Amino acid sequence: MKKIIIAIDGFAATGKSTLAKKISTSLGYVYIDTGAMYRTVTYFGQQQNSGNSIDLEQLVDSLSQIKIYFKNSDHEQQIFLNDENVSLKIRDSKVNNAVSDIASVKEIRDFLVAQQRQMGKGKGIVMDGRDIGTVVFPKAECKFFLTASPEIRARRRHKEQLEVGNLESFEAVIENVKARDYKDSTRLINPLRKAESATEIEVSNLSIEEVYQKMITQINYTIRV
Ligand code: CDP
């Protein structure tokens, strides 16, 4: 069966990662969470300044010192920054609040997009993010664009955060989700937008299983023709 590239883009907390993981498991494909890569660069920038605000010039100058890689253990994917497992650290509110500004910097996007393209060279990959179908893999055989109301997305993200012990209020979560959506959609370089050939799915009233069924039906069709 032919191997393809599956690109999943969309707004914050629409379930992209959960769906991408489920699809990659069922097809035996590699899964790449590009948001985690932008989060990791943000975390690196914060650590450079002992956890304080990021010195952008210093961060851009030291991009070559950043080695990011993924490891799969059981059902979880872990992300490593220079051999440190940063999977949990990159989900905290400090990173949440800074990541969209860092992701708007051209040098940082060029640095990560080059690695993402390299990872997808052999096809058989599911990649989720904001610019996968438009910039990273404009020729991806299957593209999806997920949307949902900010309230529903924030409710989902708030619950996830509580489960990992991050006690942010619902108000803080929805504010962050809306602020990131705005910054991600209005930035000058590779803004979040639906690729022309992407299938848009409004997930507000659908379960993960229902969204998965829609996606896998289209993917299976693409793989077989
Ligand atoms: O999981 P969630 O939807 O909250 O976000 P994420 O996928 O972890 O991405 C975090 C942030 O990274 C986004 O808000 C974007 O600012 C940035 N990002 C990006 O610019 N381009 C990508 N391909 C992926 C993420």
Side-chain angles (χ1 to χ4, degrees):
M1 225 185 283
K2 75 177 177 204
K3 291 217 177 243
I4 64 167
I5 294 180
I6 301 164
I8 307 177
D9 290 304
F11 292 96
T14 39
K16 298 184 298 294
S17 306
T18 308
L19 288 154
K21 262 182 240 166
K22 206 166 153 66
I23 291 165
S24 68
T25 305
S26 87
L27 297 175
Y29 276 24
V30 173
Y31 161 55
I32 301 292
D33 175 355
T34 64
M37 298 172 79
Y38 286 93
R39 288 171 178 275
T40 298
V41 171
T42 304
Y43 173 76
F44 178 90
Q46 289 171 337
Q47 292 309 103
Q48 262 189 325
N49 260 347
S50 327
N52 297 318
S53 60
I54 295 171
D55 178 336
L56 208 47
E57 210 172 306
Q58 190 191 8
L59 173 58
V60 167
D61 282 346
S62 40
L63 285 175
S64 61
Q65 296 167 23
I66 300 179
K67 196 174 118 224
I68 296 175
Y69 59 92
F70 293 95
K71 263 191 201 170
N72 291 316
S73 61
D74 297 331
H75 297 296
E76 278 308 308
Q77 185 172 70
Q78 310 286 333
I79 187 161
F80 287 77
L81 163 64
N82 297 336
D83 300 334
E84 178 191 357
N85 185 343
V86 293
S87 311
L88 275 182
K89 292 175 183 154
I90 60 165
R91 305 280 160 199
D92 75 8
S93 50
K94 218 160 155 186
V95 173
N96 279 339
N97 291 330
V99 63
S100 288
D101 290 329
I102 295 307
S104 68
V105 178
K106 184 178 183 318
E107 289 84 349
I108 294 172
R109 298 205 74 82
D110 289 347
F111 174 70
L112 292 179
V113 167
Q115 294 180 31
Q116 290 153 9
R117 288 194 175 134
Q118 191 63 26
M119 290 166 174
K121 249 175 51 182
K123 301 219 171 184
I125 194 159
V126 187
M127 200 173 269
D128 81 318
R130 301 293 187 285
D131 59 346
I132 312 307
T134 51
V135 174
V136 182
F137 292 118
K139 291 190 177 147
E141 290 85 349
C142 257
K143 298 182 190 177
F144 297 97
F145 189 82
L146 306 187
T147 64
S149 76
E151 286 71 22
I152 286 183
R153 292 185 284 125
R155 216 179 298 149
R156 182 205 303 247
R157 181 52 50 88
H158 184 226
K159 190 166 166 268
E160 280 169 12
Q161 297 278 58
L162 289 180
E163 280 164 9
V164 294
N166 187 342
L167 306 177
E168 262 188 314
S169 66
F170 174 77
E171 286 69 29
V173 173
I174 195 165
E175 206 175 291
N176 175 259
V177 160
K178 284 181 177 170
R180 283 198 289 129
D181 286 351
Y182 179 75
K183 286 181 183 170
D184 294 345
S185 325
T186 56
R187 70 177 170 230
L188 293 177
I189 307 149
N190 311 355
L192 166 65
R193 62 182 173 79
K194 178 184 164 303
E196 238 168 66
S197 54
T199 301
E200 183 165 341
I201 308 179
E202 214 313 331
V203 305
S204 296
N205 298 312
L206 299 175
S207 66
I208 288 287
E209 186 55 34
E210 286 169 322
V211 183
Y212 171 74
Q213 285 307 330
K214 278 181 190 278
M215 294 170 92
I216 203 77
T217 303
Q218 183 174 329
I219 291 164
N220 281 333
Y221 176 78
T222 308
I223 291 174
R224 293 204 179 101
V225 290

